[in-house]
Amino acid sequence: MTYIVMECHKGYVILLDENGLFVKAADLHYQVGQTITDPVLMQNKRSSPRIAWRIVAPLAAIAACFLLFFGFGILQHNRNVYTSIYLAINPQVQMDLDRDGTVVGLTGINEDGRTLLDGYDGNGKDKIIVADELIDRAIDMGFLSEGGEISFSIDTPDIVLFQEYGIELRTNVTQHLDGRITVTIAITDCHQTEGENTLSSALSQAISPTPNRTQSPGSSAPIASIPPEGQEYQEDENEDKDEDDDDDENDD
Amino acid sequence: MNDEQKIIEQVYKAKINVEQADYLINDYLPFIRAETAKFLKRPPIEGHDDELSIAMIAFHEAIGGYTQTRGTFLKYAAMLIRSRLIDYHRREQRHRHVLSLDMPTGEDDAPLIHSLPDATDHIETVTQEATRAEIEELIRHLKEFGITLSDVADNCPKQQRTLSACRKAFYYAQSHGELLTELLKTKRLPLAALAAGSGVERKTLERHRTYMIALLLIGTNRYEIMRGHIKYVMKGEAVK
């Protein structure tokens, strides 16, 4: 192919090829108007990232759409209320949890419950932390005192989760109050009937949260012995270590 | 502002401005010479060593292809110069058996070209002069549209498909003289009429507006030599 030298610049020339294209080439001592063959053409640098981006962009868009639909769905799925724990001292509070046991909602069921929650935000916290903090607030506000009773009523479709939460709440709240005040902790399953509740109340168990008790508050024995659904666990916390031991033995 | 930032700023200006690119090449001519000397292992002689011209076009390529992700400009330019010089030498090695017209011959070391009969020299010179006059006319004509030949070269289609689309529009304009008249009269490319008549997307024509104007101007009756040069395009045939 022949080229006409159209313009000479410092370092390069502009050529017109037979296809009607204007190209830049090395100036090998050419003159304007000269017809040449075999020039050293300037190589057009096509940036590879641009090409890559052309391929990646649609894929990234599709991935983003998937993430938007499914990721949001998964997030929503996890954030949905899966379990509710009803905390009753005198104030009654409904604690809604997601599948991970994180608090996603707090509602005061009665007037005292609303007072207890006034100015408190437990969203995003673990259920145990929220339970401990609400109990502390109840003590500060005078709702809970020596010899009082804390009831956790767990509403969950999963019996294993009920057992797990029951053990966790009992163990941690007992430890949290250990050496401060003596209270009775009751853990019930919302799905059991009233008759079963009455029956299970009769079979309830009392333990003391003091450090010298013979039965560990963290022991899973009472919970593990619960028949599926409908049984209540009640732990009576006594100040006196000896009485505590006696009670445990009697229960056994 | 440090030196590197200053260079990068100059390079980015040179990317969009031909004059700035020429200034930059001029400013960095010692650097280009030094890089060529490294390759040749001797200082290059301006006007004699093709390697210096190759290094200069490589520097120009470096201006066009540089982005900040490629590191410092001068290192990038040096790398590109070296690569192009290697390519050039490989290419030249294939033509070693061909005698150069500049090679010294005889006892007085006169170039070979001086010993050849100059039967065609006069015709070539006349043709070259005529071509030069046509080119100067085209440059003046393009200037009326606010276009330079560098702009046209930068605006040429790079893909065969786009080139075919531009040619399709060109043939349509060739067969509809009123479009060329309108172009010369209004100094504006009749995009709507070209797109509607040729079936080429308006966006494609807009992107290559400068190139289309240059091609249509060459297609007018003023530029016989250039029309003859691109005769295959004028006839609707492509050259490989």
Side-chain angles (χ1 to χ4, degrees):
Chain A
M1 190 186 297
T2 58
Y3 299 78
I4 293 178
V5 181
M6 301 292 287
E7 202 171 49
C8 292
H9 284 260
K10 188 81 184 171
Y12 67 97
V13 291
I14 295 169
L15 310 174
L16 174 65
D17 73 10
E18 291 175 14
N19 282 326
L21 283 173
F22 291 80
V23 290
K24 289 180 179 176
D27 182 8
L28 302 179
H29 330 300
Y30 301 135
Q31 290 173 337
V32 174
Q34 192 181 345
T35 303
I36 59 161
T37 53
D38 211 16
V40 179
L41 298 178
M42 189 170 135
Q43 293 179 18
N44 286 308
K45 268 283 180 202
R46 293 190 70 83
S47 50
S48 52
R50 219 175 132 192
I51 296 163
W53 179 244
R54 280 187 183 178
I55 299 162
V56 169
L59 296 175
I62 293 164
C65 288
F66 267 93
L67 201 67
L68 197 68
F69 282 104
F70 296 103
F72 187 69
I74 291 164
L75 192 71
Q76 277 299 100
H77 180 68
N78 280 342
R79 293 290 294 173
N80 282 343
V81 177
Y82 189 69
T83 304
S84 291
I85 297 175
Y86 298 92
L87 168 67
I89 304 168
N90 173 34
Q92 288 177 20
V93 172
Q94 182 183 339
M95 203 191 294
D96 294 327
L97 314 179
D98 62 12
R99 278 175 182 269
D100 300 330
T102 306
V103 176
V104 292
L106 280 170
T107 316
I109 294 172
N110 59 5
E111 190 57 42
D112 286 348
R114 284 187 282 277
T115 310
L116 184 69
L117 290 178
D118 190 28
Y120 177 75
D121 182 17
N123 277 343
K125 292 182 183 176
D126 187 73
K127 60 194 175 300
I128 300 298
I129 294 168
V130 173
D132 287 347
E133 286 177 352
L134 288 178
I135 289 167
D136 288 344
R137 282 171 73 89
I139 294 168
D140 292 343
M141 291 177 174
F143 291 126
L144 182 64
S145 55
E146 185 70 28
E149 183 181 327
I150 303 170
S151 164
F152 292 103
S153 182
I154 303 171
D155 179 7
T156 179
D158 187 351
I159 184 65
V160 177
L161 210 59
F162 164 70
Q163 290 180 355
E164 190 186 308
Y165 285 0
I167 294 165
E168 221 176 328
L169 283 166
R170 188 196 66 175
T171 309
N172 285 287
V173 172
T174 307
Q175 278 177 350
H176 184 66
L177 293 175
D178 200 5
R180 291 164 67 191
I181 58 169
T182 308
V183 294
T184 304
I185 299 171
I187 296 172
T188 56
D189 184 352
C190 270
H191 291 270
Q192 70 187 2
T193 61
E194 199 162 323
E196 284 170 339
N197 265 330
T198 313
L199 181 66
S200 60
S201 295
L203 297 169
S204 66
Q205 182 183 31
I207 60 163
S208 167
T210 53
N212 297 327
R213 65 179 173 271
T214 50
Q215 185 176 351
S216 163
S219 164
S220 62
I223 296 292
S225 64
I226 305 172
E229 296 195 10
Q231 188 162 338
E232 179 183 310
Y233 292 92
Q234 192 165 18
E235 296 170 0
D236 191 6
E237 297 181 356
N238 300 312
E239 277 181 69
D240 189 279
K241 178 201 167 207
D242 293 332
E243 277 180 26
D244 176 36
D245 290 344
D246 290 344
D247 285 340
D248 288 343
E249 282 167 16
N250 290 336
D251 286 334
D252 292 336
Chain B
M1 192 187 292
N2 63 35
D3 287 348
E4 184 55 32
Q5 279 177 320
K6 198 178 167 186
I7 296 170
I8 290 171
E9 202 175 272
Q10 286 176 318
V11 169
Y12 276 88
K13 277 182 189 168
K15 273 175 186 282
I16 50 169
N17 189 321
V18 181
E19 282 180 13
Q20 290 285 338
D22 286 354
Y23 287 139
L24 193 63
I25 292 171
N26 214 25
D27 287 351
Y28 282 88
L29 206 51
F31 165 79
I32 298 167
R33 274 206 196 95
E35 290 301 319
T36 314
K38 271 187 211 171
F39 182 81
L40 292 174
K41 297 186 173 61
R42 63 170 171 80
I45 303 160
E46 200 162 351
H48 182 263
D49 285 320
D50 286 349
E51 283 81 357
L52 189 60
S53 302
I54 302 296
M56 282 161 98
I57 192 88
F59 190 85
H60 195 76
E61 278 178 34
I63 293 170
Y66 179 73
T67 57
Q68 275 182 291
T69 53
R70 295 184 194 271
T72 59
F73 173 72
L74 291 180
K75 274 190 181 175
Y76 173 68
M79 184 266 292
L80 214 60
I81 288 169
R82 189 168 169 75
S83 305
R84 293 290 171 269
L85 287 172
I86 291 168
D87 289 346
Y88 179 71
H89 260 249
R90 280 181 186 155
R91 201 179 81 145
E92 286 304 294
Q93 274 178 349
R94 287 200 292 269
H95 304 294
R96 266 186 178 175
H97 60 281
V98 180
L99 294 177
S100 167
L101 291 174
D102 293 326
M103 71 179 288
T105 55
E107 289 175 0
D108 56 350
D109 283 350
L112 178 63
I113 194 168
H114 289 179
S115 63
L116 295 173
D118 57 350
T120 57
D121 276 2
H122 179 68
I123 301 166
E124 270 185 13
T125 310
V126 171
T127 311
Q128 194 175 323
E129 282 303 313
T131 312
R132 186 199 294 265
E134 257 191 25
I135 292 166
E136 282 169 4
E137 173 64 17
L138 178 68
I139 290 169
R140 265 198 304 274
H141 211 162
L142 284 171
K143 206 174 177 182
E144 290 173 15
F145 290 80
I147 298 169
T148 65
L149 280 179
S150 284
D151 296 334
V152 179
D154 291 338
N155 195 239
C156 276
K158 304 287 186 293
Q159 289 181 355
Q160 190 59 44
R161 193 178 53 179
T162 322
L163 182 63
S164 301
C166 289
R167 278 190 188 150
K168 203 175 164 187
F170 172 69
Y171 300 141
Y172 179 77
Q174 286 287 101
S175 58
H176 292 78
E178 70 277 8
L179 291 177
L180 293 174
T181 313
E182 191 188 335
L183 171 74
L184 295 173
K185 192 179 169 187
T186 61
K187 310 287 180 212
R188 292 179 69 181
L189 190 66
L191 281 171
L194 272 178
S198 64
V200 175
E201 276 188 47
R202 188 189 167 109
K203 198 192 281 180
T204 308
L205 295 175
E206 273 175 1
R207 277 187 190 146
H208 300 285
R209 180 186 153 273
T210 309
Y211 173 69
M212 282 305 301
I213 290 172
L215 201 60
L216 289 173
L217 287 181
I218 292 172
T220 59
N221 292 331
R222 296 186 194 183
Y223 307 101
E224 285 307 319
I225 297 172
M226 276 186 266
R227 277 161 61 99
H229 182 67
I230 59 165
K231 57 181 180 291
Y232 299 108
V233 178
M234 300 298 291
K235 286 179 189 169
E237 300 166 16
V239 181
K240 293 284 175 188

Short mmCIF file of all heavy atoms in Angstrom, two decimals, chain B residues 184-231:
data_model
loop_
_atom_site.label_atom_id
_atom_site.label_comp_id
_atom_site.label_asym_id
_atom_site.label_seq_id
_atom_site.Cartn_x
_atom_site.Cartn_y
_atom_site.Cartn_z
N LEU B 184 -20.48 22.47 2.17
CA LEU B 184 -19.59 23.59 1.83
C LEU B 184 -20.22 24.94 2.19
O LEU B 184 -19.52 25.87 2.57
CB LEU B 184 -19.25 23.55 0.33
CG LEU B 184 -18.45 22.33 -0.13
CD1 LEU B 184 -18.34 22.32 -1.66
CD2 LEU B 184 -17.06 22.32 0.49
N LYS B 185 -21.53 24.99 2.08
CA LYS B 185 -22.23 26.25 2.32
C LYS B 185 -22.35 26.54 3.82
O LYS B 185 -22.04 27.64 4.28
CB LYS B 185 -23.62 26.17 1.68
CG LYS B 185 -24.34 27.50 1.61
CD LYS B 185 -25.69 27.29 0.93
CE LYS B 185 -26.55 28.53 1.08
NZ LYS B 185 -27.92 28.28 0.57
N THR B 186 -22.81 25.56 4.55
CA THR B 186 -23.10 25.78 5.98
C THR B 186 -21.90 25.49 6.87
O THR B 186 -21.91 25.84 8.05
CB THR B 186 -24.28 24.89 6.44
OG1 THR B 186 -23.90 23.53 6.27
CG2 THR B 186 -25.54 25.19 5.67
N LYS B 187 -20.89 24.82 6.32
CA LYS B 187 -19.71 24.38 7.10
C LYS B 187 -20.12 23.43 8.23
O LYS B 187 -19.47 23.36 9.27
CB LYS B 187 -18.94 25.57 7.72
CG LYS B 187 -18.59 26.68 6.75
CD LYS B 187 -17.49 26.25 5.82
CE LYS B 187 -17.14 27.38 4.86
NZ LYS B 187 -16.72 26.88 3.56
N ARG B 188 -21.23 22.77 8.01
CA ARG B 188 -21.70 21.80 9.00
C ARG B 188 -22.04 20.49 8.30
O ARG B 188 -22.61 20.49 7.20
CB ARG B 188 -22.94 22.32 9.73
CG ARG B 188 -22.64 23.51 10.62
CD ARG B 188 -23.88 23.99 11.30
NE ARG B 188 -24.36 23.03 12.28
CZ ARG B 188 -25.45 23.20 13.00
NH1 ARG B 188 -26.19 24.28 12.84
NH2 ARG B 188 -25.82 22.31 13.89
N LEU B 189 -21.70 19.39 8.96
CA LEU B 189 -21.98 18.08 8.37
C LEU B 189 -23.49 17.82 8.46
O LEU B 189 -24.06 17.89 9.56
CB LEU B 189 -21.21 17.00 9.17
CG LEU B 189 -21.17 15.59 8.60
CD1 LEU B 189 -20.40 15.54 7.30
CD2 LEU B 189 -20.54 14.64 9.60
N PRO B 190 -24.14 17.53 7.32
CA PRO B 190 -25.59 17.26 7.38
C PRO B 190 -25.87 15.88 7.98
O PRO B 190 -26.20 14.93 7.26
CB PRO B 190 -26.02 17.37 5.92
CG PRO B 190 -24.81 17.09 5.12
CD PRO B 190 -23.62 17.46 5.95
N LEU B 191 -25.72 15.80 9.28
CA LEU B 191 -25.80 14.51 9.98
C LEU B 191 -27.15 13.82 9.79
O LEU B 191 -27.20 12.62 9.49
CB LEU B 191 -25.55 14.72 11.48
CG LEU B 191 -24.10 14.87 11.91
CD1 LEU B 191 -24.01 15.29 13.36
CD2 LEU B 191 -23.35 13.56 11.72
N ALA B 192 -28.22 14.59 9.98
CA ALA B 192 -29.56 13.98 9.92
C ALA B 192 -29.82 13.38 8.55
O ALA B 192 -30.25 12.22 8.46
CB ALA B 192 -30.60 15.05 10.27
N ALA B 193 -29.50 14.15 7.50
CA ALA B 193 -29.76 13.67 6.14
C ALA B 193 -28.87 12.47 5.81
O ALA B 193 -29.33 11.49 5.20
CB ALA B 193 -29.51 14.79 5.15
N LEU B 194 -27.61 12.53 6.26
CA LEU B 194 -26.68 11.42 6.00
C LEU B 194 -27.14 10.14 6.71
O LEU B 194 -27.12 9.06 6.12
CB LEU B 194 -25.27 11.79 6.49
CG LEU B 194 -24.36 12.52 5.52
CD1 LEU B 194 -23.03 12.84 6.19
CD2 LEU B 194 -24.10 11.66 4.27
N ALA B 195 -27.53 10.31 7.97
CA ALA B 195 -27.95 9.14 8.76
C ALA B 195 -29.23 8.55 8.18
O ALA B 195 -29.34 7.32 8.04
CB ALA B 195 -28.15 9.56 10.22
N ALA B 196 -30.17 9.42 7.85
CA ALA B 196 -31.46 8.93 7.33
C ALA B 196 -31.27 8.27 5.96
O ALA B 196 -31.83 7.20 5.69
CB ALA B 196 -32.44 10.08 7.24
N GLY B 197 -30.46 8.90 5.11
CA GLY B 197 -30.30 8.40 3.74
C GLY B 197 -29.44 7.16 3.65
O GLY B 197 -29.74 6.24 2.88
N SER B 198 -28.36 7.10 4.45
CA SER B 198 -27.42 5.97 4.34
C SER B 198 -27.78 4.81 5.26
O SER B 198 -27.29 3.70 5.07
CB SER B 198 -26.00 6.46 4.68
OG SER B 198 -25.94 6.88 6.02
N GLY B 199 -28.57 5.10 6.26
CA GLY B 199 -28.93 4.05 7.22
C GLY B 199 -27.87 3.83 8.28
O GLY B 199 -27.95 2.88 9.06
N VAL B 200 -26.88 4.71 8.30
CA VAL B 200 -25.83 4.61 9.34
C VAL B 200 -26.33 5.35 10.59
O VAL B 200 -27.00 6.38 10.47
CB VAL B 200 -24.51 5.25 8.83
CG1 VAL B 200 -23.45 5.25 9.92
CG2 VAL B 200 -24.01 4.51 7.62
N GLU B 201 -26.00 4.78 11.74
CA GLU B 201 -26.45 5.42 12.99
C GLU B 201 -25.87 6.82 13.13
O GLU B 201 -24.68 7.03 12.88
CB GLU B 201 -26.00 4.58 14.19
CG GLU B 201 -26.95 3.45 14.50
CD GLU B 201 -26.61 2.76 15.80
OE1 GLU B 201 -26.37 3.47 16.80
OE2 GLU B 201 -26.55 1.53 15.80
N ARG B 202 -26.70 7.72 13.55
CA ARG B 202 -26.29 9.12 13.69
C ARG B 202 -25.12 9.23 14.69
O ARG B 202 -24.20 10.02 14.52
CB ARG B 202 -27.49 9.95 14.18
CG ARG B 202 -27.22 11.44 14.18
CD ARG B 202 -28.35 12.20 14.85
NE ARG B 202 -27.92 13.56 15.11
CZ ARG B 202 -28.37 14.62 14.47
NH1 ARG B 202 -29.28 14.49 13.56
NH2 ARG B 202 -27.92 15.83 14.76
N LYS B 203 -25.20 8.40 15.73
CA LYS B 203 -24.15 8.43 16.78
C LYS B 203 -22.77 8.11 16.18
O LYS B 203 -21.77 8.72 16.51
CB LYS B 203 -24.50 7.42 17.87
CG LYS B 203 -23.77 7.67 19.18
CD LYS B 203 -23.92 6.53 20.12
CE LYS B 203 -25.24 6.51 20.82
NZ LYS B 203 -25.38 5.37 21.75
N THR B 204 -22.75 7.13 15.26
CA THR B 204 -21.48 6.74 14.61
C THR B 204 -20.93 7.91 13.82
O THR B 204 -19.73 8.21 13.87
CB THR B 204 -21.71 5.53 13.69
OG1 THR B 204 -22.38 4.52 14.42
CG2 THR B 204 -20.43 5.00 13.12
N LEU B 205 -21.80 8.59 13.08
CA LEU B 205 -21.36 9.73 12.27
C LEU B 205 -20.91 10.89 13.16
O LEU B 205 -19.93 11.57 12.84
CB LEU B 205 -22.49 10.18 11.35
CG LEU B 205 -22.93 9.15 10.28
CD1 LEU B 205 -24.13 9.66 9.53
CD2 LEU B 205 -21.79 8.87 9.31
N GLU B 206 -21.61 11.07 14.27
CA GLU B 206 -21.23 12.16 15.20
C GLU B 206 -19.85 11.91 15.77
O GLU B 206 -19.04 12.82 15.90
CB GLU B 206 -22.25 12.25 16.34
CG GLU B 206 -23.44 13.12 16.01
CD GLU B 206 -24.50 13.11 17.10
OE1 GLU B 206 -24.31 12.43 18.12
OE2 GLU B 206 -25.52 13.78 16.91
N ARG B 207 -19.58 10.64 16.12
CA ARG B 207 -18.28 10.29 16.71
C ARG B 207 -17.13 10.52 15.73
O ARG B 207 -16.02 10.81 16.12
CB ARG B 207 -18.29 8.82 17.13
CG ARG B 207 -18.92 8.60 18.48
CD ARG B 207 -18.75 7.17 18.91
NE ARG B 207 -19.56 6.89 20.08
CZ ARG B 207 -20.13 5.73 20.33
NH1 ARG B 207 -19.98 4.74 19.49
NH2 ARG B 207 -20.84 5.55 21.42
N HIS B 208 -17.40 10.34 14.44
CA HIS B 208 -16.35 10.48 13.43
C HIS B 208 -16.63 11.67 12.51
O HIS B 208 -16.33 11.63 11.32
CB HIS B 208 -16.22 9.17 12.66
CG HIS B 208 -15.86 8.02 13.55
ND1 HIS B 208 -14.60 7.85 14.06
CD2 HIS B 208 -16.62 7.04 14.08
CE1 HIS B 208 -14.60 6.79 14.84
NE2 HIS B 208 -15.81 6.28 14.88
N ARG B 209 -17.20 12.69 13.09
CA ARG B 209 -17.60 13.88 12.35
C ARG B 209 -16.40 14.50 11.61
O ARG B 209 -16.48 14.77 10.41
CB ARG B 209 -18.19 14.90 13.34
CG ARG B 209 -18.64 16.18 12.73
CD ARG B 209 -19.07 17.17 13.80
NE ARG B 209 -18.89 18.52 13.31
CZ ARG B 209 -17.76 19.22 13.39
NH1 ARG B 209 -16.71 18.68 13.98
NH2 ARG B 209 -17.67 20.43 12.91
N THR B 210 -15.28 14.67 12.31
CA THR B 210 -14.10 15.29 11.73
C THR B 210 -13.59 14.50 10.53
O THR B 210 -13.28 15.06 9.48
CB THR B 210 -12.99 15.39 12.81
OG1 THR B 210 -13.56 16.00 13.96
CG2 THR B 210 -11.83 16.22 12.36
N TYR B 211 -13.53 13.20 10.70
CA TYR B 211 -13.06 12.33 9.62
C TYR B 211 -14.00 12.40 8.42
O TYR B 211 -13.56 12.48 7.26
CB TYR B 211 -12.94 10.88 10.12
CG TYR B 211 -12.63 9.90 9.02
CD1 TYR B 211 -11.40 9.90 8.38
CD2 TYR B 211 -13.60 8.98 8.60
CE1 TYR B 211 -11.13 9.02 7.35
CE2 TYR B 211 -13.33 8.09 7.57
CZ TYR B 211 -12.10 8.11 6.94
OH TYR B 211 -11.83 7.24 5.92
N MET B 212 -15.29 12.39 8.70
CA MET B 212 -16.29 12.44 7.62
C MET B 212 -16.17 13.73 6.81
O MET B 212 -16.26 13.70 5.58
CB MET B 212 -17.71 12.34 8.21
CG MET B 212 -18.15 10.94 8.60
SD MET B 212 -18.03 9.71 7.28
CE MET B 212 -19.09 10.39 6.02
N ILE B 213 -15.95 14.84 7.53
CA ILE B 213 -15.81 16.13 6.83
C ILE B 213 -14.60 16.08 5.89
O ILE B 213 -14.69 16.45 4.71
CB ILE B 213 -15.69 17.30 7.83
CG1 ILE B 213 -17.03 17.53 8.53
CG2 ILE B 213 -15.23 18.58 7.13
CD1 ILE B 213 -16.99 18.52 9.68
N ALA B 214 -13.46 15.56 6.41
CA ALA B 214 -12.24 15.48 5.60
C ALA B 214 -12.46 14.60 4.37
O ALA B 214 -12.08 14.96 3.25
CB ALA B 214 -11.09 14.95 6.44
N LEU B 215 -13.11 13.45 4.57
CA LEU B 215 -13.35 12.53 3.47
C LEU B 215 -14.28 13.14 2.41
O LEU B 215 -14.04 13.01 1.21
CB LEU B 215 -13.97 11.23 4.03
CG LEU B 215 -13.86 9.98 3.17
CD1 LEU B 215 -12.42 9.63 2.90
CD2 LEU B 215 -14.55 8.81 3.85
N LEU B 216 -15.31 13.83 2.90
CA LEU B 216 -16.25 14.46 1.96
C LEU B 216 -15.58 15.59 1.19
O LEU B 216 -15.85 15.77 -0.01
CB LEU B 216 -17.49 14.97 2.71
CG LEU B 216 -18.43 13.89 3.24
CD1 LEU B 216 -19.51 14.49 4.11
CD2 LEU B 216 -19.06 13.09 2.10
N LEU B 217 -14.71 16.33 1.85
CA LEU B 217 -14.00 17.42 1.16
C LEU B 217 -13.08 16.86 0.07
O LEU B 217 -13.03 17.39 -1.04
CB LEU B 217 -13.18 18.25 2.15
CG LEU B 217 -13.96 19.18 3.08
CD1 LEU B 217 -13.01 19.95 3.99
CD2 LEU B 217 -14.84 20.16 2.30
N ILE B 218 -12.38 15.78 0.39
CA ILE B 218 -11.50 15.14 -0.62
C ILE B 218 -12.35 14.65 -1.79
O ILE B 218 -11.92 14.68 -2.95
CB ILE B 218 -10.67 13.99 0.01
CG1 ILE B 218 -9.66 14.55 1.01
CG2 ILE B 218 -9.93 13.18 -1.05
CD1 ILE B 218 -8.93 13.52 1.84
N GLY B 219 -13.56 14.22 -1.46
CA GLY B 219 -14.47 13.71 -2.49
C GLY B 219 -14.97 14.77 -3.45
O GLY B 219 -15.50 14.44 -4.52
N THR B 220 -14.82 16.04 -3.10
CA THR B 220 -15.23 17.10 -4.03
C THR B 220 -14.21 17.19 -5.17
O THR B 220 -13.13 16.60 -5.10
CB THR B 220 -15.34 18.46 -3.31
OG1 THR B 220 -14.08 18.76 -2.74
CG2 THR B 220 -16.40 18.45 -2.22
N ASN B 221 -14.53 17.97 -6.17
CA ASN B 221 -13.71 17.97 -7.39
C ASN B 221 -12.36 18.68 -7.28
O ASN B 221 -11.57 18.64 -8.20
CB ASN B 221 -14.51 18.61 -8.54
CG ASN B 221 -15.68 17.72 -8.92
OD1 ASN B 221 -15.60 16.51 -8.76
ND2 ASN B 221 -16.75 18.32 -9.40
N ARG B 222 -12.09 19.30 -6.14
CA ARG B 222 -10.87 20.11 -6.04
C ARG B 222 -9.59 19.28 -5.93
O ARG B 222 -8.52 19.78 -6.19
CB ARG B 222 -10.94 21.02 -4.80
CG ARG B 222 -12.04 22.03 -4.85
CD ARG B 222 -11.89 22.94 -3.66
NE ARG B 222 -13.09 23.72 -3.46
CZ ARG B 222 -13.20 24.64 -2.51
NH1 ARG B 222 -12.20 24.87 -1.69
NH2 ARG B 222 -14.31 25.32 -2.37
N TYR B 223 -9.72 18.06 -5.42
CA TYR B 223 -8.53 17.30 -5.02
C TYR B 223 -8.35 16.05 -5.88
O TYR B 223 -8.57 14.92 -5.41
CB TYR B 223 -8.63 16.94 -3.53
CG TYR B 223 -8.90 18.13 -2.67
CD1 TYR B 223 -10.18 18.40 -2.19
CD2 TYR B 223 -7.89 19.03 -2.36
CE1 TYR B 223 -10.44 19.51 -1.42
CE2 TYR B 223 -8.14 20.16 -1.60
CZ TYR B 223 -9.42 20.39 -1.13
OH TYR B 223 -9.67 21.50 -0.37
N GLU B 224 -7.92 16.25 -7.10
CA GLU B 224 -7.83 15.15 -8.05
C GLU B 224 -6.76 14.13 -7.67
O GLU B 224 -6.98 12.93 -7.79
CB GLU B 224 -7.54 15.71 -9.47
CG GLU B 224 -8.74 16.35 -10.13
CD GLU B 224 -9.96 15.43 -10.15
OE1 GLU B 224 -9.81 14.22 -10.41
OE2 GLU B 224 -11.08 15.91 -9.90
N ILE B 225 -5.62 14.61 -7.20
CA ILE B 225 -4.52 13.66 -6.86
C ILE B 225 -4.93 12.78 -5.68
O ILE B 225 -4.75 11.57 -5.70
CB ILE B 225 -3.20 14.42 -6.57
CG1 ILE B 225 -2.76 15.17 -7.83
CG2 ILE B 225 -2.11 13.47 -6.09
CD1 ILE B 225 -1.58 16.10 -7.63
N MET B 226 -5.49 13.43 -4.68
CA MET B 226 -5.91 12.65 -3.50
C MET B 226 -7.07 11.72 -3.84
O MET B 226 -7.13 10.60 -3.34
CB MET B 226 -6.28 13.60 -2.36
CG MET B 226 -5.07 14.06 -1.56
SD MET B 226 -5.48 15.02 -0.15
CE MET B 226 -5.35 16.65 -0.81
N ARG B 227 -7.97 12.19 -4.68
CA ARG B 227 -9.08 11.32 -5.13
C ARG B 227 -8.52 10.11 -5.88
O ARG B 227 -9.02 8.99 -5.72
CB ARG B 227 -10.03 12.11 -6.04
CG ARG B 227 -11.05 12.93 -5.29
CD ARG B 227 -11.64 14.01 -6.18
NE ARG B 227 -12.32 13.46 -7.35
CZ ARG B 227 -13.64 13.31 -7.45
NH1 ARG B 227 -14.40 13.69 -6.43
NH2 ARG B 227 -14.18 12.83 -8.51
N GLY B 228 -7.48 10.37 -6.67
CA GLY B 228 -6.84 9.26 -7.39
C GLY B 228 -6.16 8.30 -6.43
O GLY B 228 -6.17 7.08 -6.64
N HIS B 229 -5.60 8.85 -5.36
CA HIS B 229 -4.91 8.00 -4.37
C HIS B 229 -5.90 7.08 -3.65
O HIS B 229 -5.58 5.92 -3.39
CB HIS B 229 -4.19 8.91 -3.36
CG HIS B 229 -3.41 8.16 -2.34
ND1 HIS B 229 -2.30 7.41 -2.65
CD2 HIS B 229 -3.60 8.03 -1.00
CE1 HIS B 229 -1.82 6.87 -1.54
NE2 HIS B 229 -2.61 7.22 -0.53
N ILE B 230 -7.07 7.62 -3.38
CA ILE B 230 -8.06 6.78 -2.68
C ILE B 230 -9.12 6.28 -3.69
O ILE B 230 -10.30 6.16 -3.37
CB ILE B 230 -8.71 7.52 -1.48
CG1 ILE B 230 -9.42 8.81 -1.94
CG2 ILE B 230 -7.69 7.84 -0.40
CD1 ILE B 230 -10.37 9.38 -0.87
N LYS B 231 -8.66 5.95 -4.89
CA LYS B 231 -9.60 5.59 -5.97
C LYS B 231 -10.44 4.37 -5.61
O LYS B 231 -11.60 4.28 -6.02
CB LYS B 231 -8.84 5.37 -7.29
CG LYS B 231 -7.75 4.32 -7.25
CD LYS B 231 -7.08 4.23 -8.61
CE LYS B 231 -5.97 3.21 -8.65
NZ LYS B 231 -4.78 3.60 -7.84
#
